[in-house]
Amino acid sequence: KRGHGPYQPHEPGYGLEQPAYSPYEDEIPDPQARMLAIKNAKAYLLKTSTKSGLNLYDHFANILTKILDEQPTNTVDIIEDISKDVKCSQFRKKMDTLRDEHFIPPTFQAAEKYKALFVKEGGGEEEEDLEEEMGQPSLPNVMETAFYFEQAGIGLNKDECYYIFLALKNLINVQPIQTCRFWGKILGLEMNYIIAEVQLQEGEEDKEIAEEGEEIVGEGEKEDEAEEEDEQKAKEAEPPKSTYKPPPEIPKEANGTGTNKYVYFVCNEPGNPWVKLPPVTPAQIVCARKIKKFFTGRLDAPVVSFPPFPGNEANYLRAQIARISAGTHVSPTGFYQFANEDEEEDEGADTYEKNPEFEPPPVAEMVESLATWAHHVKGILKQGRCVWINPSQKSEENDEDEEEEEEEGEEQQEERGPPLLTLISEDEGMKDIPAWTAKASTDLIPKYSVAILQSNRWPGAYAFASGRKFENIYFGWGHKYSPENHTPELPPPAQAEFPSGPGITETVDPTVEEETAFKAAQEEALAEAEEWEDEEGEDD
């Protein structure tokens, strides 16, 4: 019969409970058998699971350790949960060293980044140097501009404004800048763009034009070499040549004029290096009007769209900056004037100067009447330029060879946009929405209020005017408002099939009888020709 013990004679734990043993006896009967049974039981508990790689002995030891350390109440009721927690802890990350991983808080990282903005190049802090830096005419007073926009709840926080103020100072110290202005901030999905609008010194613009000319010359030489190689290959084997002629490329406007009047530098955050944006081309502006893309914050990111955009995100950003500037940069009417009376009649005039006799209108009048505001940046034509140009015009040498192209060019009508310093009251609205909305910063104290102008066509574009001071700024995603949903341009229709005719239609294969008759007719014709030749020879 089986005893009270849980083990059979053939099991490893057999012998731990023998009938003759009593815990009150001083001697343990057969200690060797008992030790052997203990070893067998431990060996059984140490068997490793083929699924989890754990063994029961270590698991029980960990459970008991956890229970004794924590000493929970009603342990017997939660023993299953304790076992599950012990198993889960086996798969958690264990530190290889005694030191914990060093965590750098985001505030410390931001402080390290902005620390470079507060360090002076010379290291000195004399009052004379400070007065010279603050007295620079090219350095804009960003804090003053932020104060006026803050009256209407527009702008950034004071810390960020001051960081941008210091970043612009560093930009002026590095680049040969004549005038500088904080243009605004365009938001992105990953990072944002802080934009500075500058005018380089007179000599620097000529250097840029010369560098671009060298690049164009280098590209022209490469094209000439490629043409020579193509001619050599064509001599070897001449494939059919295409008669398609692409439309002439519209040249970009020169630096310092039109859409390239200003140079723009951007950075993602104050303290990061400033990056100069390339000049904008008419093709980029025309394509930017047909697409609607969010910025990522990376200048080298590709712009995947239809129609394909000719450039990367840096070019797309530059095109949007040109469009926003042309549509939203305004000033009080009469603040600027043309230098000569002839320029007033010339619609292509692009230069103006401050009017010393300007008298600012009261804030109430600037809020009630939009005729007190005027555009001081030329509008962009459908061609993508501020000044229209005939792309079909060629040099006199090619006049005779390309008369047809000239006739087509003459048919093109010249585009004319609104002249400079046009009143914003003439701007067209969008259905029932006016193009502009003017309001005062406060109605409680009208004497010290500021006139605020908001663009509804470009959400995020604002302007303020207070006495002889005014400024334009932009905070937004860089998208134009549309009453309707954006509809991408459809691809061109599929090309029509070539018209079928007798020249390209396949003929029906002749039958055997027709081939036999054709061969017989050929043989008869040859025989008659031979007989006729023989007769002529006899006559001779």
Side-chain angles (χ1 to χ4, degrees), residues 140-200:
N141 194 344
V142 179
M143 302 305 295
E144 182 183 10
T145 303
F147 166 76
Y148 284 106
F149 279 112
E150 188 181 3
Q151 307 305 311
I154 302 166
L156 309 173
N157 59 67
K158 291 184 179 180
D159 291 343
E160 187 173 2
C161 288
Y162 193 71
Y163 296 150
I164 294 173
F165 194 9
L166 297 176
L168 292 176
K169 182 179 74 69
N170 293 344
L171 175 64
I172 292 173
N173 294 336
V174 174
Q175 298 289 340
I177 293 174
Q178 184 177 358
T179 61
C180 179
R181 192 180 74 86
F182 176 47
W183 187 89
K185 183 177 182 180
I186 288 184
L187 307 178
L189 300 177
E190 301 176 10
M191 295 178 288
N192 304 324
Y193 289 115
I194 296 172
I195 304 168
E197 180 183 85
V198 305
Q199 269 187 324
L200 300 179

Side-chain angles (χ1 to χ4, degrees), residues 8 15 90 193-194 236 261 300 312 381 387 422 443 496 502 530:
Q8 297 294 330
Q90 299 291 333
Y193 289 115
I194 296 172
E236 298 175 359
K261 183 176 181 179
D300 58 347
N312 54 12
L381 305 175
V387 179
T422 302
D443 296 332
E530 291 177 356

Side-chain angles (χ1 to χ4, degrees), residues 265-285:
F265 289 85
V266 299
C267 65
N268 297 119
E269 289 183 1
N272 291 359
W274 290 94
V275 180
K276 181 182 175 183
L277 295 180
V280 67
T281 62
Q284 294 169 354
I285 293 178

Side-chain angles (χ1 to χ4, degrees), residues 419-478:
L420 199 61
L421 303 182
T422 302
L423 303 181
I424 67 171
S425 56
E426 300 179 8
D427 293 356
E428 297 182 2
M430 300 152 289
K431 292 187 177 180
D432 298 333
I433 304 174
W436 298 91
T437 300
K439 63 179 181 179
S441 60
T442 178
D443 296 332
L444 301 177
I445 311 176
K447 182 179 179 181
Y448 298 102
S449 62
V450 179
I452 301 295
L453 189 67
Q454 176 184 354
S455 173
N456 297 324
R457 190 179 300 275
W458 289 97
Y462 301 93
F464 87 89
S466 177
R468 298 183 63 87
K469 294 181 180 179
F470 77 93
E471 190 57 78
N472 297 271
I473 206 163
Y474 180 84
F475 300 109
W477 295 95

Side-chain angles (χ1 to χ4, degrees), residues 84-98:
K84 185 182 295 184
D85 294 340
V86 170
K87 281 187 177 180
C88 292
S89 64
Q90 299 291 333
F91 302 99
R92 292 176 183 172
K93 179 182 177 182
K94 294 182 179 180
M95 301 301 299
D96 297 332
T97 60
L98 297 178

Side-chain angles (χ1 to χ4, degrees), residues 27-47:
E27 296 181 0
I28 300 175
D30 197 3
Q32 294 182 355
R34 184 175 180 81
M35 291 300 297
L36 180 60
I38 292 173
K39 291 180 180 179
N40 292 337
K42 187 175 181 180
Y44 173 75
L45 295 176
L46 286 172
K47 285 185 178 180

Side-chain angles (χ1 to χ4, degrees), residues 124-405:
E125 297 181 355
E126 298 179 359
E127 297 181 358
E128 296 179 359
D129 297 339
L130 182 61
E131 291 177 358
E132 290 179 0
E133 290 182 0
M134 297 303 294
Q136 290 179 355
S138 58
L139 182 63
N141 194 344
V142 179
M143 302 305 295
E144 182 183 10
T145 303
F147 166 76
Y148 284 106
F149 279 112
E150 188 181 3
Q151 307 305 311
I154 302 166
L156 309 173
N157 59 67
K158 291 184 179 180
D159 291 343
E160 187 173 2
C161 288
Y162 193 71
Y163 296 150
I164 294 173
F165 194 9
L166 297 176
L168 292 176
K169 182 179 74 69
N170 293 344
L171 175 64
I172 292 173
N173 294 336
V174 174
Q175 298 289 340
I177 293 174
Q178 184 177 358
T179 61
C180 179
R181 192 180 74 86
F182 176 47
W183 187 89
K185 183 177 182 180
I186 288 184
L187 307 178
L189 300 177
E190 301 176 10
M191 295 178 288
N192 304 324
Y193 289 115
I194 296 172
I195 304 168
E197 180 183 85
V198 305
Q199 269 187 324
L200 300 179
Q201 297 177 1
E202 296 180 358
E204 299 298 326
E205 294 182 357
D206 298 337
K207 291 181 181 178
E208 289 186 358
I209 296 173
E211 291 177 359
E212 292 178 2
E214 292 177 359
E215 294 178 358
I216 294 172
V217 170
E219 293 176 358
E221 293 177 355
K222 293 180 181 178
E223 291 178 357
D224 295 340
E225 294 177 358
E227 289 178 359
E228 292 179 359
E229 293 179 359
D230 295 340
E231 290 178 359
Q232 293 178 359
K233 293 179 181 179
K235 291 179 180 179
E236 298 175 359
E238 294 184 359
K241 296 181 181 180
S242 175
T243 58
Y244 171 76
K245 293 182 179 180
E249 183 179 358
I250 301 174
K252 72 178 184 67
E253 293 181 293
N255 295 340
T257 61
T259 55
N260 293 317
K261 183 176 181 179
Y262 297 99
V263 179
Y264 294 91
F265 289 85
V266 299
C267 65
N268 297 119
E269 289 183 1
N272 291 359
W274 290 94
V275 180
K276 181 182 175 183
L277 295 180
V280 67
T281 62
Q284 294 169 354
I285 293 178
V286 171
C287 185
R289 288 170 170 166
K290 300 177 182 178
I291 65 177
K292 197 169 188 178
K293 297 284 291 184
F294 282 99
F295 293 96
T296 62
R298 295 178 285 107
L299 293 175
D300 58 347
V303 180
V304 182
S305 64
F306 184 84
F309 184 79
N312 54 12
E313 186 165 302
N315 303 106
Y316 181 54
L317 176 63
R318 181 63 182 85
Q320 292 298 94
I321 290 174
R323 296 178 62 200
I324 295 172
S325 300
T328 63
H329 282 193
V330 296
S331 58
T333 304
F335 186 86
Y336 292 113
Q337 65 178 4
F338 293 105
N340 300 323
E341 296 180 357
D342 298 338
E343 294 183 355
E344 296 182 8
E345 300 176 357
D346 185 11
E347 295 184 358
D350 196 14
T351 58
Y352 51 82
E353 62 182 11
K354 291 184 179 180
N355 182 11
E357 301 177 357
F358 170 72
E359 294 183 1
V363 174
E365 183 180 352
M366 300 193 72
V367 172
E368 294 176 359
S369 176
L370 295 179
T372 56
W373 301 83
H375 292 276
H376 60 261
V377 176
K378 292 202 64 176
I380 302 176
L381 305 175
K382 294 182 179 180
Q383 192 182 47
R385 291 169 52 99
C386 294
V387 179
W388 188 82
I389 186 174
N390 189 354
S392 301
Q393 287 181 351
K394 303 293 181 180
S395 59
E396 297 180 357
E397 298 177 357
N398 301 330
D399 286 345
E400 298 178 357
D401 299 335
E402 301 179 357
E403 292 179 356
E404 296 180 357
E405 294 183 4

